[in-house]
Amino acid sequence: MERVLGLGVGPLAAGTVGLLILLKVIQRLRHKQNLQDKVVVITGASSGLGKECARVFHAAGARLILCGRDQKRLQEVVEELRNKNNNGKIQTYTPCTVTFDLSSTSLVSSAAKEILKCHGHVDVLINNAGISYRGNILDTHVSVQRDVMETNYFGPVALTQAILPSMVDRRSGHIVVISSVQGKISIPYRSAYAASKHATQAYFDCLRAEVDRFGLQVSVISPGYIRTNLSINAVTGDGSQYGVMDKTTAKGWDPVDVARAVLKAVCHKQKDVVLAGPLPTAAVYLRTLWPALYFRLMASRALKEQRVKEE
């Protein structure tokens, strides 16, 4: 009898695991969103991650509305996507463009009206545009801190709140924000950037809870370093351009992979996605579970970076 029971445990356990996996797959397929014909807005779409998001969402059959400050560069992206051959497998559409500066929150309301005029509604809003910062707090003017916050926090908040009522009316919509691992942990000499991303994380976490009753989705994507010009275009303490490609940025994630992760988050309605290596991921947990050690490590890192700059 014991031998019979012993022989049955293995297959039973394997069958149970297999059934659970099958149920998980079925659940994901049931909740998967089809992006064909969906209206998708992408800010910061003329370069970097925004441009890659435009490519993958266009290939998925979305009706794109590309936003940015430079109309010429946006139009170049439009022409590239228009001429892209998808072998007729998926119906694709020529994107619309809306040009505005996200840091000028007074202009966001009119930009949102223009966005809504393109197709009458928005299914997915991807808040991607942003700016980075490199500097010592002692040498950084508060106006720089404010400027970074305007672009990275107040801009996405203003655009989200301008588009949100139309989503609530339709009881349908998905809001995505590209945050950063630095929205969960802070590292030295990134104060303005980390602060703006911490604020972003908090705001969109609150938004997710408040709009759940309307059936709306909110996704926060928190990548580590991405191989874009973000560090080159970063501002320093006096507001000038940093102009350097960091080694960490140069070795970062391929923006194509991050764009695909954004697409996956939208399709599967993922709420919070961290795209980082083992060390940053461990640091996120360490900050919560053993903050004293985390603070010591960050102080040591700050001292090491300062010595490198002085050499």
Side-chain angles (χ1 to χ4, degrees), residues 218-264:
V218 176
S219 299
V220 178
I221 315 296
S222 301
Y225 295 105
I226 309 174
R227 291 199 306 271
T228 66
N229 290 331
L230 192 67
S231 70
I232 294 176
N233 297 327
V235 293
T236 62
D238 62 3
S240 61
Q241 190 177 45
Y242 185 59
V244 177
M245 173 68 79
D246 290 333
K247 291 181 180 179
T248 49
T249 302
K251 296 178 181 178
W253 281 66
D254 187 327
V256 175
D257 293 331
V258 179
R260 288 171 180 163
V262 175
L263 179 72
K264 179 182 177 182

Side-chain angles (χ1 to χ4, degrees), residues 20-127:
L20 290 173
I21 292 173
L22 180 61
L23 289 173
K24 186 71 174 178
V25 171
I26 292 173
Q27 185 180 34
R28 289 187 67 182
L29 289 174
R30 281 182 60 196
H31 293 287
K32 184 176 180 180
Q33 181 174 189
N34 182 1
L35 291 172
Q36 181 69 61
D37 298 331
K38 297 294 184 180
V39 179
V40 178
V41 178
I42 304 173
T43 66
S46 63
S47 63
L49 178 58
K51 185 175 182 178
E52 295 303 333
C53 283
R55 287 169 174 163
V56 298
F57 279 86
H58 177 264
R63 297 177 184 269
L64 297 181
I65 304 173
L66 306 182
C67 304
R69 294 179 297 177
D70 191 325
Q71 175 60 31
K72 181 181 178 182
R73 293 175 67 185
L74 284 176
Q75 196 57 41
E76 288 173 355
V77 177
V78 169
E79 292 303 319
E80 177 191 322
L81 297 179
R82 178 185 289 162
N83 296 326
K84 198 167 186 63
N85 182 12
N86 67 349
N87 298 319
K89 295 180 180 178
I90 293 179
Q91 174 67 50
T92 59
Y93 304 93
T94 300
C96 299
T97 62
V98 177
T99 307
F100 68 103
D101 187 346
L102 195 65
S103 66
S104 300
T105 52
S106 60
L107 303 177
V108 171
S109 179
S110 58
K113 291 177 181 177
E114 191 175 346
I115 287 170
L116 289 169
K117 284 180 182 178
C118 292
H119 296 288
H121 70 279
V122 171
D123 293 301
V124 182
L125 168 61
I126 301 177
N127 291 292

